C-alpha cells in the first residue's frame, strides 16, 4: 500500500475548506467544551450542602437550643423551619419542603444532666440517597459529638476528670483530595468524557455525509486509497479536537479550582493521543453507518454506556465483573485513569505507562480497522 | 476479449438482496462510439453503469472495460474512465477553482500541466470569471459543465455519463452535446443514459433496458425502420407496451373524485 502524500494533503485541504465555510459547526465545536464543562461541572456535584430540615423542639431548654445551633453551624444543614407537631413535620417531608427533621423530646436536657442517655429523633427523606446519606452521617456525628461534650462537662463538674477513657486513637488521613470534594474527582473525568463525546461526533458524520451527498461515488472512481481518505479526513479534526482539549482543560481546572499536580506537558501529549483515538471511533462509525441518522444513533449507542462503563460516575470496582470487562474496551476508561492520575495525584509515565500503551494500541487498531472497513464500493 | 471494444459484458447481473436490478446484460460498446442506454425509470441503467465504473460489484457474469476485468481490476479501470453520476456530486461548498484543483490533485496531474489543463476546462465550460464562485451558486448548465470538466481532468479514454442533461435548459443541453461530439471526434468513447430521445437519436448505437434486461439494441435509424415507427420516442413506447402488455395511457380516468 503506497500512500501518496499529495492525495492525502488534498483531502486535508478540502476538509479544512469545509470546516472554514461551515462557521456554525466550527463555532459549535469550539463552544461545546466551554458550555459542557460549566453545565456539567456545576450540575454534577455530589457534595450536598444546606439540607433543609425542620425542627420540633418540645424540650425548650438551653441544651436543646444548643443542639439545634450545632446543626445550623455545620455547613450541611439549614434548620430554619420550626414545627409544633409530628403531623406538621410529616407534611413538610411529604411535600419535599424539607429533607429531614429533628425531634427533641421533652426531658432531653434533664437526661443529659443526670448522665442518662438522652434521646432525640432524626427523620430523613430517603428518596435521594445522596442527600439522605449526608444527612444521616452528619446528623449522627453532630449529635454524638454534642452529647460527648456535654457528658464530659458533667463529669468534670463532678470531679471525675482524671480517669480519661483510653480509647484507640485512629487517625485517618485522606490523600490527594483531603477534603473529599467531589468536584476534584468529577472535573478530570468530565474533561475526558466531554472530549470523547465531541471528537466522536466530529468524525462520525464525515463519511456518511459524503455518501448522502453523492460525492463519495465520485471519490470512489478516483485513485484515492482508503487510508488516504480516512487519515486525510481525520487530520483537520485532530487540530480541532486538540484545541477543544486545551479549552476543556483550562476551563475545568480554572473555574473549579482543580490544580494540575503533574506534568502539564505529559497531559497535553496524552490528551492529543486520546483525541486521535476517539476520532478513529467516530470514523469507524462513519464507515459502518449508511446515513447520518444511523451515524447519530450509533454515536449515542456508544456514548451513553461509556458514561457508566468508563468509571466516570461510579467506580468500576463496584460493578459486576462482566460489566467491568466491557469498560476495558472503551478508550475513555484508560484516559480517565490518566487524567485523574496526572491532575489529582501528580503521577507520571512510570505509573501510567500501561494505560498509555493500551490507548496507543487502541488508536492504531481502530484506524487500521476503519481503513480496512472502508471499501471503495457502494455495495 | 476484443481490442476494438471499450466495454463488453456477458450475462452481467446485479442483485440487491432478492431483487434483480440488472439481469444477464450483454453489451458491447465499440471504441470511439457514442453509445446510448435508454429505458424507463428504475430499468437498471444506473446500476449497470456503476458496475462498469467499479462502484458496484456485479453479482454474476463477466465484464471487461478496455480488456480489464471488472472484478479484479476495478482500480485500473478507474484510471481510464471519467464518470459523471446521475446526481450532481461536486463539492457544493467549494469554489469552482477549488473543485478543479481538488480533482487535479487527487488524480496526481503533474504540476507542470495542471494549470494549463484547468484553464482549458474553464474555457470549455465557459466558466471564465466564475472561478471564485461557490459551486452551489452556479446555475444548472454551468454546474453540469463543471462536473464534466472535472471528470475529463485525467484525460480518460471512456466517458460514462448518467443522465447528464436531466436538469438543464435546452440551450445548455445543446452546448453540452456539442462538447460531447467534439470529445467523440478525439476518439473518446462515450456511454450516456438519457430520457431525451433527440439525444438518443444522435448516438451511434443505443440499447433499450427494461426490468434489468436488454429488450432491443442497434443503430437508432435502423431500429426506427425495423419497428416501423415515426421516431425513437415511438419505439420506446412500443417497447414498453410490448413488455407490460398494456397501452401506455394515463390512469387519469381512475381518479374519480376529480371528475365528479
Ligand atoms: N442500492 C440499492 N439497493 C436496493 N435497490 C436498489 C439500489 N440501487 C438501485 N436499486 C433498485 O434497482 C432498480 C434499478 O435502479 P437504477 O437506479 O439502476 O434505475 P435507472 O434505470 O437508473 O432509473 P432512473 O431513470 O430513475 O435513473 C430500481 O428499482 C432501484 O430501486
Ligand atoms: Mg439512473
Amino acid at each position: 500500500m503506497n500512500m501518496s502524500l499529495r492525495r492525502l494533503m488534498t483531502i486535508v485541504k478540502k476538509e479544512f475548506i469545509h470546516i472554514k465555510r461551515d462557521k456554525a459547526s466550527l463555532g459549535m465545536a469550539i463552544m461545546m467544551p466551554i458550555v459542557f464543562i460549566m453545565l456539567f461541572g456545576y450540575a454534577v456535584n455530589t457534595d450536598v450542602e444546606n439540607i433543609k430540615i425542620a425542627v420540633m423542639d418540645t424540650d425548650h431548654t438551653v441544651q436543646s437550643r444548643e443542639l439545634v445551633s450545632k446543626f445550623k453551624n455545620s455547613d450541611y444543614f439549614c434548620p430554619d423551619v420550626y414545627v409544633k407537631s409530628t403531623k406538621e413535620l410529616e407534611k413538610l417531608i411529604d411535600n419535599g419542603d424539607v429533607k429531614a427533621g429533628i425531634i427533641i423530646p421533652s426531658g432531653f436536657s434533664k437526661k443529659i444532666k443526670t448522665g442518662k442517655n438522652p434521646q432525640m429523633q432524626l427523620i430523613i427523606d430517603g428518596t435521594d440517597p445522596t442527600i439522605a446519606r449526608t444527612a444521616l452521617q452528619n446528623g449522627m456525628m453532630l449529635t454524638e459529638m454534642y452529647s460527648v461534650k456535654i457528658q464530659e462537662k458533667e463529669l468534670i463538674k463532678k470531679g471525675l476528670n482524671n480517669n480519661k477513657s483510653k480509647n484507640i486513637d485512629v487517625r485517618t488521613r485522606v490523600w490527594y483530595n483531603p477534603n473529599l470534594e467531589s468536584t476534584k474527582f468529577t472535573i478530570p473525568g468530565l474533561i475526558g468524557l466531554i472530549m470523547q463525546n465531541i471528537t466522536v461526533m466530529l468524525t462520525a458524520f464525515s463519511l456518511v455525509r459524503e455518501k448522502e451527498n453523492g460525492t463519495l461515488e465520485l471519490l470512489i472512481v478516483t485513485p484515492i486509497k482508503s487510508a488516504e481518505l480516512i487519515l486525510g479526513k481525520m487530520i483537520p479534526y485532530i487540530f480541532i479536537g486538540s484545541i477543544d482539549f486545551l479549552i476543556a482543560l483550562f476551563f475545568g481546572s480554572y473555574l473549579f479550582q482543580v490544580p494540575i499536580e503533574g506534568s502539564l506537558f505529559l497531559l497535553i501529549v496524552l490528551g492529543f493521543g486520546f483525541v486521535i483515538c476517539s476520532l478513529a471511533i467516530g470514523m469507524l462509525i462513519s464507515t459502518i453507518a449508511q446515513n447520518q441518522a444511523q451515524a447519530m444513533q450509533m454515536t449515542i449507542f456508544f456514548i451513553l454506556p461509556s458514561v457508566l462503563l468508563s468509571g466516570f460516575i461510579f467506580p468500576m470496582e463496584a460493578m459486576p465483573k462482566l460489566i467491568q470487562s466491557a469498560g476495558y474496551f472503551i478508550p475513555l476508561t484508560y484516559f480517565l485513569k490518566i487524567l485523574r492520575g496526572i491532575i489529582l495525584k501528580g503521577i507520571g509515565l512510570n505509573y501510567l505507562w500501561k494505560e498509555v500503551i493500551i490507548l496507543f494500541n487502541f488508536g492504531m487498531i481502530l484506524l487500521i480497522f476503519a481503513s480496512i472497513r472502508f471499501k471503495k464500493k457502494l455495495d | 476479449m476484443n481490442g476494438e471494444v471499450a466495454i463488453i459484458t456477458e450475462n452481467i447481473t446485479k442483485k440487491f438482496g432478492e431483487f434483480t436490478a440488472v439481469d444477464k446484460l450483454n453489451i458491447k460498446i465499440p471504441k470511439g462510439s457514442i453509445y446510448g442506454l435508454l429505458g424507463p425509470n428504475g430499468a437498471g441503467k444506473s446500476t449497470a453503469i456503476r458496475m462498469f465504473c467499479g462502484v458496484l460489484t456485479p453479482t454474476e457474469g463477466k465484464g471487461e472495460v478496455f480488456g480489464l476485468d471488472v472484478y479484479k481490476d476495478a482500480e485500473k479501470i478507474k484510471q481510464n474512465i471519467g464518470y459523471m453520476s446521475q446526481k450532481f456530486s461536486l463539492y457544493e461548498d467549494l469554489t469552482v477553482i477549488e473543485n478543479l484543483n481538488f480533482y487535479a490533485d487527487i488524480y496526481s496531474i503533474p504540476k507542470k500541466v495542471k494549470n494549463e489543463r484547468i484553464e482549458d476546462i474553464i474555457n470549455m465550460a465557459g466558466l471564465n470569471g466564475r472561478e471564485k464562485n461557490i459551486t452551489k451558486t452556479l446555475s444548472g448548465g454551468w454546474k453540469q459543465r463543471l462536473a464534466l470538466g472535472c471528470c475529463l481532468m485525467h484525460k480518460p479514454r471512456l466517458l460514462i455519463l448518467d443522465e447528464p442533461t436531466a436538469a438543464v435548459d435546452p440551450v445548455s443541453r445543446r452546448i453540452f452535446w456539442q462538447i460531447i461530439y467534439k470529445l467523440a471526434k478525439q476518439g473518446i468513447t462515450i456511454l450516456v443514459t438519457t430520457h431525451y430521445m433527440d439525444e438518443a437519436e444522435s448516438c451511434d448505437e443505443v440499447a433499450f433496458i427494461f426490468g434489468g434486461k436488454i429488450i432491443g439494441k442497434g443503430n437508432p435509424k435502423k431500429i426506427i425502420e425495423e419497428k416501423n415507427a415515426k421516431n425513437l420516442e415511438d419505439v420506446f413506447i412500443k417497447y414498453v407496451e410490448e413488455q407490460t402488455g398494456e397501452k401506455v395511457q394515463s390512469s387519469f380516468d381512475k381518479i374519480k373524485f376529480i371528475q365528479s
Side-chain angles (χ1 to χ4, degrees):
Chain A
M1 192 162 66
N2 47 342
M3 296 234 312
S4 143
L5 188 65
R6 184 168 172 200
R7 285 196 297 259
L8 178 70
M9 290 320 291
T10 307
I11 298 287
V12 171
K13 209 162 121 192
K14 168 187 88 81
E15 289 299 319
F16 265 123
I17 298 175
H18 288 321
I19 293 169
K20 194 177 75 184
R21 301 263 154 85
D22 188 359
K23 293 257 159 48
S25 300
L26 181 62
M28 283 271 283
I30 300 295
M31 286 307 292
M32 258 196 292
I34 304 175
V35 174
F36 282 4
I37 281 280
M38 300 225 283
L39 204 64
F40 286 78
Y42 286 115
V44 183
N45 185 349
T46 50
D47 296 336
V48 183
E49 285 172 7
N50 300 325
I51 301 168
K52 278 198 184 139
I53 59 171
V55 181
M56 182 174 144
D57 183 0
T58 44
D59 195 40
H60 298 295
T61 56
V62 183
Q63 278 77 20
S64 70
R65 274 192 290 276
E66 208 173 40
L67 178 63
V68 173
S69 75
K70 287 273 184 254
F71 271 76
K72 194 167 194 148
N73 292 342
S74 81
D75 288 335
Y76 300 104
F77 297 102
C78 210
D80 290 337
V81 192
Y82 286 83
V83 293
K84 296 230 154 53
S85 68
T86 43
K87 264 244 172 69
E88 225 179 310
L89 179 63
E90 239 171 65
K91 214 167 126 193
L92 285 173
I93 290 183
D94 283 348
N95 285 344
D97 288 341
V98 300
K99 297 287 174 202
I102 34 177
I103 301 174
I104 306 173
S106 55
F108 176 78
S109 69
K110 205 178 263 169
K111 276 190 178 155
I112 289 177
K113 282 175 194 155
T114 53
K116 284 189 196 132
N117 262 349
Q119 279 177 346
M120 63 155 294
Q121 226 178 355
L122 185 63
I123 298 166
I124 295 169
D125 172 2
T127 26
D128 186 332
T130 321
I131 297 179
R133 212 172 293 135
T134 313
L136 185 66
Q137 279 168 3
N138 292 294
M140 301 243 296
M141 204 165 70
L142 283 169
T143 42
E144 229 154 77
M145 268 161 49
Y146 178 70
S147 71
V148 167
K149 213 176 88 192
I150 295 283
Q151 276 166 353
E152 262 176 15
K153 250 192 227 163
E154 294 299 316
L155 289 174
I156 291 167
K157 263 190 207 161
K158 290 176 181 159
L160 296 167
N161 184 21
N162 32 8
N163 67 336
K164 234 186 178 177
S165 52
K166 287 216 162 54
N167 285 336
I168 299 170
D169 185 6
V170 182
R171 293 192 186 178
T172 49
R173 190 175 288 166
V174 179
W175 279 13
Y176 308 129
N177 181 8
N179 300 327
L180 292 177
E181 296 160 69
S182 69
T183 43
K184 280 258 168 77
F185 179 71
T186 322
I187 291 298
L190 198 56
I191 294 171
L193 184 70
I194 288 173
M195 282 316 299
Q196 174 198 264
N197 298 358
I198 294 176
T199 43
V200 169
M201 266 194 271
L202 284 177
T203 41
F205 298 97
S206 62
L207 276 172
V208 255
R209 202 181 296 131
E210 295 221 21
K211 212 179 277 178
E212 276 186 7
N213 291 344
T215 51
L216 192 65
E217 192 172 349
L218 283 205
L219 272 182
I220 286 174
V221 295
T222 70
I224 190 94
K225 301 248 160 56
S226 13
E228 291 161 359
L229 185 61
I230 301 274
L231 263 185
K233 278 184 159 292
M234 267 184 60
I235 288 171
Y237 291 110
I238 294 177
F239 271 92
I240 295 186
S242 301
I243 292 171
D244 278 343
F245 178 62
L246 292 181
I247 294 175
L249 193 62
F250 171 77
F251 274 85
S253 122
Y254 180 78
L255 278 183
F256 297 95
Q257 283 140 34
V258 181
I260 296 159
E261 302 288 347
S263 153
L264 181 63
F265 177 73
L266 180 65
L267 190 57
I268 290 173
V269 170
L270 295 180
F272 182 75
F274 177 69
V275 164
I276 295 177
C277 227
S278 332
L279 286 173
I281 293 175
M283 204 43 105
L284 192 60
I285 289 177
S286 212
T287 64
I288 298 169
Q290 289 300 317
N291 50 52
Q292 298 198 49
Q294 272 183 22
M296 190 71 221
Q297 285 170 342
M298 288 184 202
T299 307
I300 292 173
F301 190 79
F302 171 78
I303 284 179
L304 284 187
S306 74
V307 176
L308 295 178
L309 296 178
S310 62
F312 166 63
I313 306 177
F314 307 116
M316 288 185 81
E317 289 81 354
M319 298 173 195
K321 276 276 175 306
L322 188 71
I323 294 183
Q324 238 183 71
S325 49
Y328 292 126
F329 289 97
I330 298 174
L332 181 61
T333 307
Y334 304 96
F335 190 50
L336 287 192
K337 285 196 181 135
I338 291 173
L339 277 168
R340 285 173 181 151
I342 296 179
I343 295 179
L344 298 181
K345 298 190 191 171
I347 56 179
L349 271 182
N350 44 346
Y351 287 98
L352 291 169
W353 60 271
K354 248 194 290 179
E355 278 76 20
V356 173
I357 288 176
I358 294 173
L359 212 54
F360 179 79
N361 283 322
F362 252 121
M364 292 306 290
I365 290 169
L366 283 166
L367 266 184
I368 291 171
F369 197 59
S371 301
I372 293 173
R373 250 217 62 92
F374 177 71
K375 292 272 179 328
K376 280 181 70 186
K377 291 277 177 187
L378 275 188
D379 50 2
Chain B
M1 289 184 222
N2 195 327
E4 286 309 303
V5 294
I7 298 178
I8 185 160
T9 69
E10 211 181 295
N11 294 332
I12 202 164
T13 300
K14 181 70 192 179
K15 289 183 181 157
F16 295 110
E18 288 292 294
F19 177 74
T20 310
V22 172
D23 197 1
K24 301 204 178 74
L25 205 71
N26 290 297
I27 214 170
K28 190 168 146 190
I29 301 176
K31 272 186 192 166
S33 65
I34 302 181
Y35 199 100
L37 217 48
L38 314 177
N41 294 127
K45 304 180 296 291
S46 299
T47 308
I49 278 179
R50 285 183 172 136
M51 286 193 282
F52 306 152
C53 295
V55 173
L56 291 175
T57 317
T59 317
E60 277 167 49
K62 279 192 219 158
E64 281 182 9
V65 179
F66 295 119
L68 297 163
D69 186 78
V70 290
Y71 295 93
K72 292 193 305 244
D73 303 319
E75 288 305 307
K76 276 190 202 143
I77 291 175
K78 287 171 187 174
Q79 289 164 17
N80 289 292
I81 58 171
Y83 169 49
M84 218 174 122
S85 60
Q86 184 165 356
K87 194 175 164 210
F88 177 77
S89 36
L90 294 182
Y91 294 103
E92 302 239 20
D93 57 337
L94 263 57
T95 62
V96 169
I97 191 77
E98 282 164 351
N99 264 311
L100 287 165
N101 272 320
F102 177 77
Y103 280 94
D105 290 334
I106 284 291
Y107 279 106
S108 307
I109 306 296
K111 291 255 158 59
K112 274 178 266 165
V113 291
K114 180 180 149 184
N115 285 335
E116 196 184 317
R117 216 173 271 188
I118 288 181
E119 213 180 296
D120 283 352
I121 290 172
I122 289 175
N123 286 332
M124 179 273 289
L127 280 162
N128 312 67
R130 292 195 160 74
E131 291 90 340
K132 293 220 162 66
N133 287 21
I134 300 282
T135 307
K136 199 178 355 194
T137 64
L138 294 179
S139 72
W142 272 311
K143 268 189 191 173
Q144 164 243 34
R145 289 198 293 273
L146 175 63
L148 177 67
C150 283
C151 66
L152 286 172
M153 186 66 78
H154 58 298
K155 286 193 172 171
R157 294 153 72 195
L158 168 65
L159 204 53
I160 298 182
L161 311 168
D162 196 355
E163 291 190 35
T165 53
V168 302
D169 64 49
V171 177
S172 299
R173 209 147 70 82
R174 179 66 57 85
I175 299 173
F176 192 83
W177 271 91
Q178 279 168 355
I179 299 171
I180 300 293
Y181 294 138
K182 276 186 196 148
L183 291 169
K185 274 215 187 86
Q186 288 171 16
I188 296 177
T189 312
I190 288 155
L191 170 61
V192 61
T193 73
T194 180
H195 289 301
Y196 292 106
M197 290 305 131
D198 57 327
E199 291 180 358
E201 269 171 53
S202 53
C203 291
D204 298 320
E205 220 173 304
V206 295
F208 283 93
I209 301 190
F210 190 91
K213 290 192 180 74
I214 291 195
I215 52 170
K217 59 184 166 189
N219 179 278
K221 294 211 177 61
K222 281 195 192 130
I223 295 184
I224 295 171
E225 267 174 41
E226 269 169 34
K227 281 273 156 188
N228 208 359
K230 286 197 293 280
N231 49 33
L232 214 50
E233 184 154 337
D234 249 15
V235 177
F236 190 108
I237 291 170
K238 276 190 178 165
Y239 270 132
V240 173
E241 282 175 350
E242 275 172 26
Q243 291 296 316
T244 54
E246 259 182 59
K247 275 251 164 258
V248 171
Q249 57 176 32
S250 98
S251 335
F252 185 76
D253 295 345
K254 289 177 187 149
I255 323 177
K256 297 213 177 58
F257 68 91
I258 283 186
Q259 293 150 359
S260 56

